Amino acid sequence: MVADGGSLSADTPSRAARGEAVTLPQAGSEGVAARVPRSIPEASVARLAVYLRMLGELAEQGADTVSSEELAAATGVNSAKLRKDLSYIGSYGIRGVGYSVSALVHQLERALGLNHRQAVALIGVGNLGHALAGYGGFGGRGFPVTALFDVDPDLVGIHINGILVEHVRAIGDTCRERGITIGMIATPGPAAQGICDMLVEAGVRCILNFAPVVLQVPDEVEVRKVDLAVELQILAFHVARKRLVAESPETEASLAVPATDVDVVPPPDAQTNGHPVNSTLNGGMR
Amino acid sequence: MVADGGSLSADTPSRAARGEAVTLPQAGSEGVAARVPRSIPEASVARLAVYLRMLGELAEQGADTVSSEELAAATGVNSAKLRKDLSYIGSYGIRGVGYSVSALVHQLERALGLNHRQAVALIGVGNLGHALAGYGGFGGRGFPVTALFDVDPDLVGIHINGILVEHVRAIGDTCRERGITIGMIATPGPAAQGICDMLVEAGVRCILNFAPVVLQVPDEVEVRKVDLAVELQILAFHVARKRLVAESPETEASLAVPATDVDVVPPPDAQTNGHPVNSTLNGGMR
DNA sequence: ATCTGTGAAATTTTTCACAGCC
DNA sequence: GGCTGTGAAAAATTTCACAGAT
């Protein structure tokens, strides 16, 4: 995940990984159509989306079937893990053969809820927002960006990709009208919580947050965060780690964290390196 | 997470979560400065970066100390988890009081390797790339974007934020010259693997990938992936799940995955919904 | 002969809960 | 009294390894 990223990725660990999250109370009657497992682990859901993309590519290349081994290699996971992930959505493989690409695509789309179209609203049409709005990839895959909002008078009123940019004060009405189910927040950090509140108030229950703040939301709202600065910091950690390994040929200073203060950059606070160089940390988006 | 978790975040799970990953052989001598634990769990590293940001904000607001409870609430995690995360980098809290904000910032920066400046290269200066290049937030936090590359003749030669856009064929030389440690790939999907290979060849060992492909790299290279489409699909899953819960007031059809085919969108392949509407899925970046 | 689906084991991550210090 | 640091328990995730289908 590191993804997370979680954060603009990757792996971004979601606070909703508690019990309640993906788990559903299991069926009532019993016996009959006990077709589907009770729940899908959060970690698996993230990977299912990746498999789906790769399957799309394979289909394009004319593949009829894939083995778990092949698909696993292409997506960089262990094949047993892949099979287990797929088993959560049902048994759609053929033993001795593999998976039918088209059938699996269909099942994954169903499992991920992609057979309902999701209308997406994007708030904050600055630098990053523009890039997101012009993305194209969304609409093609069932995520049409259906509404755009900003506060900047220079932006409100213009069209991007044929979509009118409205003032954020219209969020409530517009989202309800157009049945928005997902909100993407690409505003500067300080504005994000307010926008988030408006979205929640308008009934939006899933939010993708690009602003560098942790949003506070009611339990029933799902937030995923994409945070560039965090991603880079995670990589920086790995750079430092690799450096350490390289420098200590064997044992010696083999610590996970260098207790030494290397201080290429002046430590506590100095001229421009303290931290808030501009308070626009990485929310400098837009 | 991430997300993506990696994926444009979040939580992006990283394939590097195997043993080797964050673990280091533990110290030699013994006894003396056994200051630091042997390794930091991958999941913790991602959160440390988040704590660091929040601490920056707290410092700005003039806070001298924070309790684990406060910092946990602000970052949306459980306070015990936060304390455990912090314990991996050492014991810098004061019992009965909390943590000194400035001291903790310093320790986190050290642990994350932010006291070495990391030179970043960005490849692909299209839509998204432009947004990333103009980001500002990076440079302010020790991640100066130091080199830009593209293949488009209209882009090569221009300056963005004072940085010259070079042709990708210069990647090897330029990266070595400027000591690039982190590469960010924001090219269309099909170009990404080739660029990745060039970066690896040039000695770059950490890569942040925005292109919608799974990069194949040697073991010693760390890749994090930020994938917008995957993030949205994860949210779509949660939308569908919430819909189910809402529709079945109690038991009834309480399945994690609707076995019914709702098919608001024609299922297998129809006109424009099959999948590869344009092969520019979400790599439509740039 | 091959490849899926899956219990069971191993590992990682999270949470609990409390001893110890301020 | 308040809050950290951390063993130990619990939960989640990953991996193993193999029975069973084709």
Side-chain angles (χ1 to χ4, degrees), chain B residues 1 3 44 49 78 90 95 99 112 119 158 180 188-189 208 214 231 275:
Chain B
M1 4 352 42
S44 291
N78 172 309
R95 292 170 192 233
Y99 299 86
L112 291 174
I158 71 168
I180 299 288
L208 186 51
V214 178
E231 291 298 325
H275 352 289

Side-chain angles (χ1 to χ4, degrees), chain B:
Chain B
M1 4 352 42
V2 211
D4 198 288
S7 323
L8 253 190
S9 164
D11 226 358
T12 305
S14 156
R15 134 223 60 59
R18 267 168 313 140
E20 185 270 336
V22 191
T23 313
L24 277 188
Q26 61 229 65
S29 46
E30 192 215 40
V32 191
R35 200 169 346 182
V36 186
R38 42 241 76 209
S39 76
I40 304 181
E42 182 70 10
S44 291
V45 174
R47 284 188 301 264
L48 291 178
V50 177
Y51 305 149
L52 178 55
R53 183 202 318 291
M54 186 55 65
L55 285 168
E57 269 177 52
L58 289 174
E60 227 176 316
Q61 293 165 25
D64 278 349
T65 62
V66 255
S67 68
S68 62
E69 204 74 58
E70 291 163 344
L71 188 52
T75 52
V77 308
N78 172 309
S79 71
K81 175 151 58 174
L82 178 140
R83 287 200 302 279
K84 180 139 287 192
D85 285 342
L86 291 182
S87 78
Y88 291 122
I89 67 171
S91 293
Y92 302 110
I94 307 157
R95 292 170 192 233
V97 179
Y99 299 86
S100 152
V101 172
S102 65
L104 196 49
V105 164
H106 183 57
Q107 293 303 331
L108 281 171
E109 288 179 341
R110 183 175 55 65
L112 291 174
L114 300 178
N115 43 6
H116 291 81
R117 181 154 258 139
Q118 312 281 351
V120 175
L122 170 63
I123 302 90
V125 193
N127 240 332
L128 177 63
H130 238 103
L132 295 177
Y135 201 19
F138 298 157
R141 265 288 195 168
F143 295 105
V145 174
T146 303
L148 299 172
F149 303 95
D150 207 303
V151 281
D152 187 337
D154 291 347
L155 293 170
V156 173
I158 71 168
H159 288 256
I160 298 178
N161 263 17
I163 315 277
L164 174 69
V165 177
E166 299 175 70
H167 192 278
V168 294
R169 77 170 74 87
I171 286 177
D173 291 342
T174 302
C175 286
R176 266 183 289 263
E177 253 167 44
R178 302 189 196 163
I180 299 288
T181 52
I182 296 177
M184 297 198 295
I185 299 180
T187 66
Q193 183 64 58
I195 296 294
C196 174
D197 294 343
M198 291 188 218
L199 286 171
V200 171
E201 209 280 315
V204 176
R205 287 294 168 268
C206 291
I207 292 174
L208 186 51
N209 178 30
F210 292 88
V213 296
V214 178
L215 297 175
Q216 307 291 330
V217 295
D219 273 358
E220 72 274 18
V221 176
E222 180 76 21
V223 176
R224 291 189 63 88
K225 186 152 179 297
V226 169
D227 191 325
L228 271 182
V230 167
E231 291 298 325
L232 285 175
Q233 289 177 357
I234 294 170
L235 285 177
F237 172 81
H238 289 290
V239 172
R241 196 173 52 76
K242 286 175 209 292
R243 194 198 324 270
L244 272 187
V245 174
E247 277 172 6
S248 61
E250 198 52 39
T251 63
E252 184 76 67
S254 38
L255 302 161
V257 178
T260 43
D261 269 284
V262 188
D263 289 335
V264 169
V265 173
D269 357 30
Q271 345 153 3
T272 172
N273 287 307
H275 352 289
V277 174
N278 55 26
S279 62
T280 321
L281 265 186
N282 87 346
M285 329 188 146
R286 77 125 308 192

